C-alpha cells in the first residue's frame, strides 16, 4: 500500500506544470490570451471608423466565424452568457411562474437566468462521469412528479407548469445530450444547452449546443475565448434566430426613419468592439484548443504517478475543449476527500496558486434552497471532491 495522498504532493505536482507561484506573482485559474492575434488591429479599426457600438461589421464576422467553426446555421451575438440563456428560455416560451429543469451543478448564472424571467429552477442530479445533467435522473424525476395536461406538463407537487430543460456542458465535457434530448422530446419540453464553457466541445461530431433547440455561449473574461463580456445563441431554427435578433435590439420594424416597435425589445446585442476582440481569438481557436489539450495531457502525466487522484476525462465519442482541467480526489471516504480538498485550497492560495473548488450545489444557495429538486446524491458527492487547476493557454509555449 502506498501512503495516503497529501496536499503537499498535489501542490508539488501542479507546480511541475505551472511553474513557481507566490502571493505576489500568483498563477490564475484562466487568463485571456491575445498573443499573436489581430486583437489590437481590429480594435483600432473600430475606433478609427467609429463603429464601436451594437452594430458594425465585426459582429457579423464574429457570428459567421462561430457558425463556420461549430457548423451552426445561425449565431446571434449578445452582451453576456446570462442574458443568452434568459433570451433562449424566453424564445422557447418560458413564462413567469413556470419551472425549468436544470442540473444542480452549474455556475450560478444558469439558475439566475431562469429567475430573471420570474421562473423557478428545479434541480436534477448530475452524471459523475461528465458532470452534466443525468438523463436517468431527469427521466425518473419527470416520471415521479410530472403529469400531462393537454399539451402542457404540470408538476403534480407544485401545480406549476414545467416549461423547459437546460443541459450544461461543464468545464467543456459534453453531457449525454442525445439521451437528454430524447427525454425532452418524449415530454414535449424544449431543450436549451448552456455551452458557456463548451466552445470547441463535441459529442458524436456535433458541436455542443446544436442538439437542443438553442445553445448559449459566454465570452466572459475567463472563458476559452473572451470578448470582455459577451454571449451568443446558436441554433438551426431560422425563426428563433430571427426573433433573437429582433428582440435583442429594440424590436424595431425595419424603416429608414420611423420608430415602430412591435414588442418589448431587450437591447442586449453584442457591441462591435467586443465582437472585434472575439473575432481575433476565433482566428486562433484551433491553436488554443490544442494548447488546452496539451495542458491536460501534462497534468495527466504528473498525476498518473500519484494514487488517490484522477483527472476528469472526455468520454468515448466526445471531444472536450478541456477549458478547465478538473482533479477528482478519488479516495473512498467522501468526508476525508472534503477535508483534503479544503487543505489543498488553503495551502495553494497561500502560495498564490489560485485553484478553485467545484461550485456549491445551486440548491444550497440561499435564493435556491427552497426550489424543487430531485435526489441530488451525485451532485453532493462530487462537490466534495473536485478542484479546478490552472489552465491558461499561456502555460504552454
Ligand atoms: C460563465 C457561465 C455563464 C454565464 O456567462 P456570463 O457571460 O458570465 O453571463 C453561464 N453558465 C455557465 C455554465 C458559465 O460557466
Amino acid at each position: 500500500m502506498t501512503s495516503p495522498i497529501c496536499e503537499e504532493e498535489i501542490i508539488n505536482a501542479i507546480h511541475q506544470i505551472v511553474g513557481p507561484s507566490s502571493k505576489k506573482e500568483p498563477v490564475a485559474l484562466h487568463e485571456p490570451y491575445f498573443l499573436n492575434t489581430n486583437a489590437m488591429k481590429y480594435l483600432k479599426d473600430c475606433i478609427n471608423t467609429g463603429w464601436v457600438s451594437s452594430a458594425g461589421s465585426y459582429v457579423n464576422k464574429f457570428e459567421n466565424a462561430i457558425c463556420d467553426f461549430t457548423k451552426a446555421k445561425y449565431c446571434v451575438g449578445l452582451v453576456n452568457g446570462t442574458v443568452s440563456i434568459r433570451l433562449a428560455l424566453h424564445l422557447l416560451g418560458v413564462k413567469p411562474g413556470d419551472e425549468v429543469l436544470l442540473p444542480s451543478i452549474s455556475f450560478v448564472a444558469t439558475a439566475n437566468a431562469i429567475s430573471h424571467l420570474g421562473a423557478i429552477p428545479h434541480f436534477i442530479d448530475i452524471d459523475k462521469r461528465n458532470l452534466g445533467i443525468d438523463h436517468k435522473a431527469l427521466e425518473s424525476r419527470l416520471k415521479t412528479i410530472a403529469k400531462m395536461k393537454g399539451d402542457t406538463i404540470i408538476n403534480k407537487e407544485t401545480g406549476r407548469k414545467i416549461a423547459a430543460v437546460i443541459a450544461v456542458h461543464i468545464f467543456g465535457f459534453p453531457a449525454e445530450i442525445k439521451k437528454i434530448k430524447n427525454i425532452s422530446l418524449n415530454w414535449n419540453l424544449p431543450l436549451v444547452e448552456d455551452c458557456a464553457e463548451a466552445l470547441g466541445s463535441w459529442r458524436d461530431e456535433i458541436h455542443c449546443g446544436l442538439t437542443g433547440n438553442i445553445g448559449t455561449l459566454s465570452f466572459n473574461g475567463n472563458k476559452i475565448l473572451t470578448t470582455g463580456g459577451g454571449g451568443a445563441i446558436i441554433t438551426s431554427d431560422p425563426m428563433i434566430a430571427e426573433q433573437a435578433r429582433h428582440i435583442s435590439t429594440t424590436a424595431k420594424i425595419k424603416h429608414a426613419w420611423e420608430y415602430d416597435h412591435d414588442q418589448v425589445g431587450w437591447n442586449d446585442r453584442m457591441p462591435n468592439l467586443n465582437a472585434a476582440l472575439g473575432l481575433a481569438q476565433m482566428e486562433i481557436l484551433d491553436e488554443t484548443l490544442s494548447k488546452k489539450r496539451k495542458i491536460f495531457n501534462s497534468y495527466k502525466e504528473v498525476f498518473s504517478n500519484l494514487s488517490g487522484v484522477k483527472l476528469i476525462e472526455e468520454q468515448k465519442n466526445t471531444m472536450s475543449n478541456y477549458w478547465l482541467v478538473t482533479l477528482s480526489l478519488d479516495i473512498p471516504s467522501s468526508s476525508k476527500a472534503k477535508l483534503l480538498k479544503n487543505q489543498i485550497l488553503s495551502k495553494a492560495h497561500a502560495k498564490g496558486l489560485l485553484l478553485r473548488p467545484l461550485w456549491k450545489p445551486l440548491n444550497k444557495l440561499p435564493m435556491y434552497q427552497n426550489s424543487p429538486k430531485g435526489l441530488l446524491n451525485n451532485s453532493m458527492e462530487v462537490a466534495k471532491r473536485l478542484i479546478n487547476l490552472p489552465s491558461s493557454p499561456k502555460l504552454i509555449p
Side-chain angles (χ1 to χ4, degrees):
M1 276 295 282
T2 46
S3 58
I5 184 89
C6 73
E7 70 272 16
E8 228 21 83
E9 286 174 282
I10 291 173
I11 289 172
N12 287 342
I14 298 168
H15 275 304
Q16 281 184 46
I17 306 304
V18 304
S21 68
S22 65
K23 277 251 169 202
K24 265 201 177 139
E25 287 185 58
V27 173
L29 190 68
H30 201 283
E31 286 178 45
Y33 189 77
F34 304 116
L35 211 67
N36 305 325
T37 67
N38 288 319
M40 199 59 98
K41 182 177 151 200
Y42 293 167
L43 288 175
K44 273 190 186 148
D45 185 35
C46 292
I47 293 165
N48 289 338
T49 58
W51 286 96
V52 293
S53 197
S54 27
S57 62
Y58 286 105
V59 179
N60 295 338
K61 284 182 196 158
F62 180 55
E63 289 170 346
N64 289 341
I66 294 201
C67 287
D68 284 347
F69 182 86
T70 59
K71 307 284 177 264
K73 282 208 180 108
Y74 307 96
C75 172
V76 181
L78 299 164
V79 292
N80 63 49
T82 310
V83 305
S84 306
I85 301 167
R86 190 165 76 200
L87 184 59
L89 293 171
H90 174 69
L91 291 171
L92 295 171
V94 174
K95 297 276 186 316
D98 290 349
E99 292 180 11
V100 175
L101 303 170
L102 79 163
S104 45
I105 296 293
S106 183
F107 182 53
V108 68
T110 318
N112 288 347
I114 296 169
S115 302
H116 292 164
L117 288 174
I120 294 120
H122 181 148
F123 299 113
I124 305 293
D125 209 3
I126 60 160
D127 181 328
K128 283 184 185 175
R129 297 163 306 166
N130 54 48
L131 311 177
I133 193 166
D134 177 18
H135 64 93
K136 291 193 210 98
L138 176 65
E139 184 162 41
S140 88
R141 182 67 180 159
L142 280 164
K143 277 187 179 148
T144 313
I145 52 116
K147 67 166 187 218
M148 295 276 231
K149 198 173 150 195
D151 271 351
T152 53
I153 317 298
I154 305 291
N155 179 342
K156 285 186 281 195
E157 290 173 3
T158 62
R160 291 187 291 243
K161 177 179 171 184
I162 299 175
V165 179
I166 305 180
V168 188
H169 305 287
I170 302 284
F171 306 141
F173 299 108
E176 281 214 57
I177 200 65
K178 273 190 195 156
K179 291 187 173 146
I180 297 162
K181 172 80 182 174
N182 284 341
I183 296 162
S184 74
L185 281 177
N186 285 345
W187 288 88
N188 202 18
L189 289 168
L191 174 62
V192 172
E193 292 179 63
D194 179 349
C195 310
E197 308 179 354
L199 179 63
S201 294
W202 310 73
R203 184 181 276 277
D204 300 321
E205 321 226 318
I206 297 171
H207 193 278
C208 287
L210 298 176
T211 303
N213 302 74
I214 304 180
T216 65
L217 297 165
S218 163
F219 312 112
N220 201 350
N222 65 353
K223 301 285 150 81
I224 195 146
L225 177 162
T226 183
T227 57
I233 66 167
I234 51 177
T235 183
S236 16
D237 183 332
M239 294 293 284
I240 293 220
E242 193 186 309
Q243 273 298 304
R245 281 215 167 82
H246 193 55
I247 296 177
S248 63
T249 52
T250 60
K252 187 174 175 291
I253 296 167
K254 257 203 162 89
H255 191 282
W257 60 85
E258 291 293 353
Y259 288 109
D260 243 335
H261 308 267
D262 62 358
Q263 50 183 305
V264 178
W266 290 20
N267 189 26
D268 46 19
R269 197 81 165 96
M270 176 181 278
N272 206 41
L273 268 178
N274 304 74
L277 202 54
L279 179 66
Q281 293 156 85
M282 276 311 285
E283 292 168 351
I284 59 152
L285 184 56
D286 284 327
E287 265 167 72
T288 307
L289 290 167
S290 93
K291 286 196 164 100
K292 306 293 279 181
R293 189 161 288 271
K294 281 187 190 149
I295 293 168
F296 170 82
N297 285 328
S298 338
Y299 275 121
K300 192 175 165 186
E301 205 175 313
V302 299
F303 281 110
S304 67
N305 301 320
L306 299 181
S307 60
V309 287
K310 70 168 205 275
L311 296 180
I312 308 276
E313 289 197 50
E314 64 196 358
Q315 291 182 276
K316 220 171 114 232
N317 300 327
T318 74
M319 182 121 106
S320 172
N321 65 8
Y322 283 122
W323 171 55
L324 290 184
V325 177
T326 308
L327 185 72
S328 176
L329 303 174
D330 217 21
I331 53 183
S333 154
S334 62
S335 56
K336 278 194 184 141
K338 185 177 172 186
L339 203 68
L340 178 60
K341 181 194 73 170
N342 291 333
Q343 286 167 339
I344 294 168
L345 284 164
S346 77
K347 275 223 171 138
H349 276 254
K351 292 181 179 177
L353 199 55
L354 305 184
L355 315 180
R356 299 301 288 268
L358 186 66
W359 311 284
K360 196 178 247 196
L362 295 172
N363 55 297
K364 292 290 180 188
L365 300 176
M367 57 287 193
Y368 299 124
Q369 64 188 358
N370 297 322
S371 290
K373 57 178 189 284
L375 292 173
L376 302 175
N377 297 344
N378 290 343
S379 303
M380 301 314 286
E381 178 65 27
V382 298
K384 295 177 183 152
R385 297 176 175 276
L386 299 193
I387 297 180
N388 288 127
L389 309 181
S391 308
S392 300
K394 75 165 192 195
L395 293 170
I396 288 284

